[in-house]
Amino acid sequence: MRGTSPPVPRRGHGATIARIALAIVGGYVTVSLWTFLLGRLIPGDRPGAGFTATMLSFLLYAGCFVWVFGAKRVGRTALAMTALSAIAALGIALT
């Protein structure tokens, strides 16, 4: 009986790992900033606005995953996600 060895990374695994990291980390940062901004911009009382923004964040986070794995190029997606994060951060700073 032969011993089992760990699988050897094949070509293309790096792009998949990059997409997973971008979806998890980049998506979290982007959605967190937008959730904070939406919590400030949604009219109504603070708890209601925060709750609504938090519920929307689940949809946004799922959308980030679909976007990252559906995009043709990881680099452009990362750049676009960085730009969206910067816009949200600017909006937070101005409100």
Side-chain angles (χ1 to χ4, degrees):
M1 182 186 244
R2 292 188 215 175
T4 58
S5 61
V8 177
R10 299 189 197 281
R11 204 167 163 210
H13 285 256
T16 303
I17 292 171
R19 287 179 190 272
I20 291 169
L22 180 62
I24 293 172
V25 177
Y28 179 80
V29 170
T30 304
V31 171
S32 295
L33 289 169
W34 278 99
T35 301
F36 189 82
L37 180 62
L38 287 173
R40 287 185 170 188
L41 295 178
I42 294 175
D45 59 337
R46 287 278 180 184
F51 179 75
T52 303
T54 302
M55 292 295 109
L56 285 172
S57 74
F58 291 107
L59 293 173
L60 292 173
Y61 198 48
C64 279
F65 269 79
V66 172
W67 178 35
V68 168
F69 283 99
K72 289 183 180 181
R73 297 186 182 203
V74 182
R76 286 186 184 175
T77 308
L79 185 63
M81 201 173 281
T82 303
L84 286 172
S85 297
I87 291 168
L90 180 64
I92 292 168
L94 294 176
T95 58

